[in-house]
Amino acid sequence: MTSQPASDGLFESFRRAEMLIARSRPLDALQALSPVLESQPNDASVQLLAGRAYLNSAQLQRAEEAFGRVVDIDPADHYARFALGKALQRQGRLAEAHTQLKMASAMDPRPEYQEALGEVRARLANEGAEPGDPG
């Protein structure tokens, strides 16, 4: 989040939202983050935090939108791609989830990315679908 002297209140709201997410209180985090989202809707860190809160509160469409916005801002953000893949997976959109998880894993082969990719591949195989990506 961009920090300017006039935005001290926004910075505190952002930090409070981070703390609330860490304490598994995503709805409270979204409430705290609301003024920051209004003020800085194109800030990747703000959208990432909002996406995490949406994902943790099962607001999957909103999570998809927030993480998608981060990917638009920074296509190399592997975490945003991973989280977008998880949001898509939870919506049952496995082929789209596979694409995002595969990209995240290629950018940074973290175990949690690999595990998520494996889960989606297994579900696709069980459904008789090919994980072939459009991209």
Side-chain angles (χ1 to χ4, degrees):
M1 189 177 102
T2 306
S3 183
Q4 300 169 0
S7 67
D8 286 344
L10 294 176
F11 183 76
E12 288 303 315
S13 293
F14 182 86
R15 290 293 177 218
R16 177 166 167 66
E18 283 182 319
M19 182 264 311
L20 289 164
I21 286 175
R23 292 185 177 169
S24 299
R25 295 175 52 193
L27 296 176
D28 292 333
L30 286 167
Q31 187 174 18
L33 196 59
S34 180
V36 186
L37 276 168
E38 288 178 26
S39 174
Q40 300 181 16
N42 296 317
D43 186 301
S45 62
V46 173
Q47 288 297 324
L48 273 174
L49 191 58
R52 289 176 55 206
Y54 289 133
L55 191 62
N56 292 345
S57 62
Q59 296 180 60
L60 303 177
Q61 183 66 40
R62 288 182 174 180
E64 177 188 347
E65 291 168 8
F67 293 128
R69 199 171 211 171
V70 176
V71 168
D72 289 344
I73 294 166
D74 181 7
D77 188 317
H78 58 86
Y79 178 78
R81 289 193 180 276
F82 165 74
L84 177 56
K86 294 299 286 182
L88 293 165
Q89 178 185 8
R90 287 178 60 186
Q91 293 178 71
R93 293 164 53 196
L94 300 179
E96 293 170 86
H98 181 267
T99 299
Q100 294 303 323
L101 293 170
K102 186 175 177 183
M103 290 172 60
S105 294
M107 292 176 185
D108 187 341
R110 295 176 186 215
E112 60 266 31
Y113 295 5
Q114 298 291 325
E115 184 178 318
L117 180 59
E119 289 173 10
V120 168
R121 284 183 172 154
R123 285 186 58 195
L124 284 167
N126 284 340
E127 293 178 5
E130 290 295 320
D133 306 340

